[in-house]
Amino acid sequence: MMNYARITQVAHYAPEQIVTNNDLAKIMDTSDEWISSRTGIKQRHLSRTELTSDLATKVAEQLLEKAQLSADQLDFIIVATITPDSMMPSTAARVQANIGATKAFAFDLTAACSGFIFALSTGEKFISSGRYQRGLVIGSETLSKVVDWSDRATSVLFGDGAGGVLLEAAEKQHFWAESQFTDGLRGQSLTCGGLGLSSPFSEKQVDDRYLKMEGRAIFDFAIRDVAQSIKNTIEESPFSVEELDYLLLHQANIRILDKMAKKLGVSREKLPANMMEYGNTSAASIPILLSECVQQDLIKLNGDQTILLSGFGGGLTWGTLIVTI
């Protein structure tokens, strides 16, 4: 007998504090017009007190409440993040403790803005193995702690937030096609969190904790490589691009979405956007967008719609999933 997985619940959470472009203009040489015309971003949520695990825990609690499940019914928790509370215990282990998921194994997955796609693919494999029945896949980030607030080119782009899904065993197929890629040779065009050597016997290297990005290189990579891989993934699926109800892409820049729609030959309305409110939340961006689409009744969670999810970013990494939801 074949085992299948499906997304049964979605949830998202963002810190209360909202920082607008005009707020940023008071502390750095920038303006709302400059930021929004280049990126589409108008504001972002920034955490005052909540850690990455706190944001992820809020999402986990919502998912369990919506499904009316107890935490001890979970088999696994995967948290995609590049801004963990600590290297160990993992953010996922902290979430597991916070919600009391005593029977779940938990780990973090690091693939930057593709993290949620890689994690969702991993969770789907766990369930389709037949060994596990249900698990949480969450993307959670507090990027405000790795942004250099004196660098106006990058600091205006990012925000904090978390989103996630409940994956459960199903009798029918819901995951139809996937592709996942990494190109470490181009990894230096987007970096964060360098830890240098510092034993008494090594020549010390300077820590490089802040996020650094070659914006043009990343933009070109998204338009060229990611667009082509999305096309290829659709071709390998049982669906045509016209049959996809929505394409939920990583929320980095409104211009990327505009160009992607043209390249893929789909109506721009099929590519929902929310970076206006959240900025780029890395691994959290796709699940936040998915959850908001369900909240707005664009996506019904009734098994009648087919959506494409695609993430791309640091690593360089990129990945696409086509899912009936």
Side-chain angles (χ1 to χ4, degrees), residues 24-234:
L24 292 180
K26 293 172 187 165
I27 61 166
M28 63 180 75
D29 182 17
T30 191
S31 69
D32 175 54
E33 196 280 327
W34 191 92
I35 299 168
S36 57
S37 66
R38 285 163 177 77
T39 67
I41 297 165
K42 303 291 285 182
Q43 63 174 49
R44 69 284 299 142
H45 293 251
L46 299 180
S47 180
R48 284 181 188 273
T49 59
E50 294 164 302
L51 303 173
T52 300
S53 63
D54 296 324
L55 305 184
T57 298
K58 290 275 179 33
V59 169
E61 289 168 346
Q62 284 183 56
L63 291 168
L64 290 173
E65 188 180 332
K66 288 178 179 186
Q68 297 191 307
L69 291 172
S70 61
D72 63 6
Q73 291 175 276
L74 295 173
D75 296 312
F76 61 85
I77 300 167
I78 308 173
V79 174
T81 186
I82 52 167
T83 52
D85 297 8
S86 55
M87 299 307 286
M88 59 182 181
S90 68
T91 302
R94 292 172 187 267
V95 173
Q96 187 239 28
N98 290 346
I99 65 174
T102 52
K103 295 173 183 166
F105 63 92
F107 63 93
D108 291 356
L109 187 151
T110 306
C113 308
S114 310
F116 180 75
I117 300 297
F118 283 28
L120 186 55
S121 171
T122 303
E124 185 261 333
K125 303 304 176 295
F126 282 142
I127 289 177
S128 58
S129 74
R131 187 177 286 270
Y132 308 105
Q133 294 300 301
R134 58 179 63 90
L136 304 183
V137 179
I138 298 170
S140 186
E141 304 283 13
T142 46
L143 290 161
S144 54
K145 70 187 181 190
V146 295
V147 164
D148 178 356
W149 289 98
S150 67
D151 176 10
R152 68 175 186 157
T154 57
S155 60
V156 301
L157 304 176
F158 298 95
D160 302 340
V165 301
L166 172 65
L167 271 184
E168 296 192 85
E171 292 177 2
K172 290 194 312 189
Q173 185 170 355
H174 291 78
F175 284 71
W176 296 100
E178 71 170 65
S179 59
Q180 296 175 92
F181 300 95
T182 302
D183 183 357
L185 288 174
R186 287 187 283 173
Q188 291 306 304
S189 53
L190 182 49
T191 61
C192 180
L195 284 174
L197 301 169
S198 65
S199 83
F201 310 102
S202 62
E203 294 181 22
K204 287 194 181 183
Q205 295 178 3
V206 178
D207 282 2
D208 192 13
R209 65 174 287 196
Y210 293 122
L211 195 147
K212 291 188 175 62
M213 178 171 72
E214 294 172 24
R216 172 49 62 183
I218 297 298
F219 190 90
D220 291 346
F221 147 71
I223 298 307
R224 190 172 54 244
D225 301 272
V226 179
Q228 187 58 52
S229 78
I230 290 173
K231 280 184 185 175
N232 294 347
T233 310
I234 295 170

